[in-house]
Amino acid sequence: MLKKRIIACLDVADGRVVKGVRFRDHEDVGDILELAERYSAQGIDELVFYDILASTAQRGVAPDWVAQVARCIDIPFCVAGGIRSLVQAEQVLAAGADKISINTPALEQPELIGSLAERFGSQCVVVGIDSLQDADGQWRVRSHTGNPDTTRERGLRTLDWIGEVQQRGAGEIVLNCMASDGTRDGFDLVQLSAARERCRVPLIASGGAGCAQHFHDVFKHCDVDGALAAGIFHRNLVSIPALKQELAQQGIAIRL
């Protein structure tokens, strides 16, 4: 049985790690390398770095800080933010990232998913999906979410997009449930369960983690492959070693 993954997310803006609530009001929470080293030492399974301003600013990720991260940790990490071409992806992977994640660029150039998968292998290609429930009850995709003033509605149903990105070669999907982001009220189990039914590749839950029980619930009820959190780890509200021990005691297959 594959073990479930606990993943720490680091939103990066102007060279610092920041955290907001529902993708708004971001506050500085620390240095990229210091946090990466801390999480690695505490036993986190994987890190994800999102350059949240890259797509809005129409630029790619700076490979320099990616290389610095690769030199200071020895666990897998993924990098996202404005990766719009094979060249940009190759630069990030060559700098030491294990995977690259695309979100807004995938919506703007769906064929990019297949090109990346063909060049680097599906195992390197993650598609991030920022999803929000509309008044009619449908979950739909949003783009350019790094800045609330630039966030765009796409008119694309989340579950349809999940199906399409798999067909195009995505090796993993991170579903960011925007209404839950930063709230610490728990993962969106209803939306994640619906996504799980459509998703044949590894599915990572994002948005809403507030305590160990929330991780247990999303693993047990939604059968996700990994659960991602940010604020509770940044602010030491949940201990990663204690979280893993508690999940193991509750029968969740976890890496200790």
Side-chain angles (χ1 to χ4, degrees):
M1 177 186 296
L2 290 177
K3 302 292 180 71
K4 303 297 187 182
R5 285 177 277 156
I6 304 296
I7 302 168
C9 174
L10 293 86
D11 289 341
V12 176
D14 299 321
R16 299 283 294 177
V17 178
V18 300
K19 185 68 186 85
V21 176
R22 295 193 175 106
F23 290 57
R24 296 174 177 268
D25 303 322
H26 291 93
E27 298 178 357
D28 187 304
V29 294
D31 177 75
I32 296 173
L33 298 182
E34 288 178 3
L35 286 171
E37 289 179 323
R38 187 179 93 192
Y39 293 142
S40 179
Q42 290 176 346
I44 201 78
D45 295 312
E46 190 171 328
L47 296 175
V48 178
F49 296 87
Y50 286 99
D51 186 330
I52 63 172
L53 301 181
S55 286
T56 301
Q58 295 290 309
R59 60 167 174 77
V61 173
D64 291 350
W65 66 258
V66 178
Q68 292 174 10
V69 169
R71 286 194 292 268
C72 76
I73 63 173
D74 58 1
I75 59 173
F77 72 97
C78 177
V79 173
I83 297 172
R84 286 183 159 79
S85 69
L86 294 177
V87 171
Q88 289 175 319
E90 188 167 25
Q91 289 173 341
V92 171
L93 293 169
D98 298 276
K99 295 183 279 190
I100 53 96
S101 179
I102 55 175
N103 187 329
T104 294
L107 289 161
E108 294 175 337
Q109 311 174 61
E111 65 279 2
L112 177 61
I113 302 169
S115 298
L116 290 168
E118 183 177 354
R119 176 72 173 272
F120 305 112
S122 290
Q123 78 284 350
C124 288
V125 182
V126 180
V127 172
I129 300 176
D130 294 332
S131 176
L132 196 61
Q133 190 171 36
D134 288 324
D136 63 357
Q138 290 286 338
W139 298 295
R140 290 188 177 86
V141 174
R142 301 297 195 268
S143 67
H144 300 83
T145 54
N147 183 334
D149 295 328
T150 63
T151 297
R152 302 177 190 174
E153 299 180 11
R154 306 297 303 195
L156 175 62
R157 294 194 302 180
T158 301
L159 298 182
D160 292 341
W161 184 230
I162 286 173
E164 181 175 345
V165 301
Q166 290 176 94
Q167 292 175 350
R168 290 183 177 274
E172 184 168 284
I173 292 172
V174 176
L175 182 58
N176 306 309
C177 301
M178 294 179 67
S180 302
D181 179 73
T183 64
R184 302 179 197 160
D185 292 331
F187 293 97
D188 186 339
L189 303 183
V190 174
Q191 184 173 183
L192 287 160
S193 294
R196 178 75 280 176
E197 291 184 5
R198 294 287 185 96
C199 190
R200 302 180 306 277
V201 300
L203 176 65
I204 309 301
S206 174
C211 63
Q213 187 63 39
H214 293 155
F215 287 86
H216 170 270
D217 292 345
V218 78
F219 286 133
K220 180 178 180 180
H221 299 297
C222 305
D223 193 29
V224 295
D225 299 272
L228 180 153
I232 60 169
F233 295 148
H234 298 336
R235 297 181 173 90
N236 295 308
L237 300 177
V238 171
S239 160
I240 293 166
L243 169 62
K244 288 190 160 192
Q245 287 289 345
E246 184 170 342
L247 290 173
Q249 290 170 2
Q250 293 177 322
I252 303 296
I254 206 80
R255 296 184 178 109
L256 294 175

